[in-house]
Amino acid sequence: MGMSARELAAATPATRDRYVDLLRVASLGVVVLGHWLMAAVTGDGQVGNLLAVVPELQVVTWVFQVMPVFFFVGGFSHALAHRSRPRYAEFLRARLQRLLRPTMVFVGVWGAAALVLQLAGADGGLAGVALRLVTQPLWFIGIYLAMVAFTPPLLRAHERWGWGAFGALAGGAVLVDVLRFAADVPFVEFLNFAFVWLAVHQLGFLRADGMIRRPALLAGAGLVGATALVALGPYPLSMVGMPGEKVSNMAPPTLALLCHGLWLVGAVELLKGPGARFVARAGVWRTVVAANGIAMTAFLWHLTAMLGVYGAMLGLGAGLPVPASGAWWAQVPPRFAVAALLTALLVAAFRRFEAPVPAAPATDEGGPLAALGITLALFGVLGLSLTGFAGLLEGHAATLIAVPVTAPAAVGLALVGWLLVERAGRLRSR
């Protein structure tokens, strides 16, 4: 508390795996840059996807779709955190403070802005698009909440069966895709939100115990598997969601995305030696420490910043070239620079909500309450990622798996869930 990045960097114990911290920052940074690049805004304020405009670029998602790396790193960190805080409620509160607090502030600020815009009748054009889009990255928060919630039982499974626990989750992903594509079983595909992402998360447990000994084999198997599935099966080339596509590798996740995750995890493990030497440099490590302290805040607000750049350009009458044209590519560096500046200003305004808060030890009495809280928060955040804030007063709804959910209901679920987790983490035995 109150320590600067330089002081925190200097106080880092020699036993800390700094390469993991580097991967966490780098993966989120790539996601932010990817979102900025893919936003193809036209002169009438419509937002398209650069990968749809230039389909040939979809192949680069095999390198730059790095969410599996972040979830892999999450598994590593959650294994260490749970072993140091074995009580469920205490573990959840400690892991979720720096996740849910900045998220709920983001939801509150944008919710208030949505109400003002709608009451003023100014929720059309790019503003309306922004109200729909800014919550989309919250799907990542929802999946991460599920990973935290399932860490205790899945870590026990890992400690008992090792690679077998990963294999069971991967086998579940295979079965789901067989039932989905071969038997056309309705709704079964949504189970892969759990099987695929928890399997990637499980790889982090294996790394924490030094059990990924052949990363080249892992990377090769993943790359061959993903290539074969895309070439021979019903899976698209892009490893990110594309507008209007019949099958997405991301929503819901597919076996092809799991293979992509294996390839990326193997690749970053192969780079562990040079990566560890790089992050051991004092200046690099200070930068990583500073970035980790604001990473979630920057992630939450980065789309707000980019849409703000486009909004300012439209408001000032600046011409927006045709996406993917030469003039459009020439504007990329200055657009990124201004978006980075706006993101920095937003981080400066909201970073205090990401600051860690010391938690006193809790008892197991809060376990059921914490489980209920994280479940409500998970569904609330996922629901909001689908509904957005457009049509907030009308109760605009979207379908979460098979259940309709409105934006006000999603906000309420997330807020109540967060408060329950906070309450559970403070319970004491009598």
Side-chain angles (χ1 to χ4, degrees), residues 208-242:
D209 289 338
M211 297 176 67
I212 301 181
R213 300 187 181 95
R214 296 182 178 179
L217 179 62
L218 189 66
L223 189 57
V224 169
T227 302
L229 288 170
V230 170
L232 305 175
Y235 304 96
L237 174 64
S238 175
M239 291 298 165
V240 301
M242 297 293 298

Side-chain angles (χ1 to χ4, degrees), residues 147-282:
M147 291 175 173
V148 175
F150 284 106
T151 287
L154 290 180
L155 185 57
R156 288 193 294 271
H158 157 75
E159 290 168 346
R160 183 170 183 179
W161 293 298
W163 278 97
F166 165 81
L169 291 168
V174 173
L175 178 61
V176 165
D177 272 16
V178 169
L179 293 174
R180 175 186 181 183
F181 295 116
D184 200 26
V185 176
F187 300 117
V188 70
E189 64 267 25
F190 294 104
L191 291 174
N192 265 351
F193 276 112
F195 285 129
V196 169
W197 289 128
L198 290 177
V200 173
H201 187 250
Q202 203 79 6
L203 290 171
F205 296 166
L206 293 163
R207 188 192 191 280
D209 289 338
M211 297 176 67
I212 301 181
R213 300 187 181 95
R214 296 182 178 179
L217 179 62
L218 189 66
L223 189 57
V224 169
T227 302
L229 288 170
V230 170
L232 305 175
Y235 304 96
L237 174 64
S238 175
M239 291 298 165
V240 301
M242 297 293 298
E245 62 186 354
K246 186 177 180 180
V247 175
S248 168
N249 280 322
M250 275 290 293
T254 64
L255 182 59
L257 185 65
L258 176 56
C259 289
H260 172 69
L262 296 180
W263 128 249
L264 283 182
V265 168
V268 297
E269 283 296 281
L270 284 171
L271 295 172
K272 181 168 61 175
R277 289 190 293 272
F278 174 70
V279 77
R281 299 176 182 176

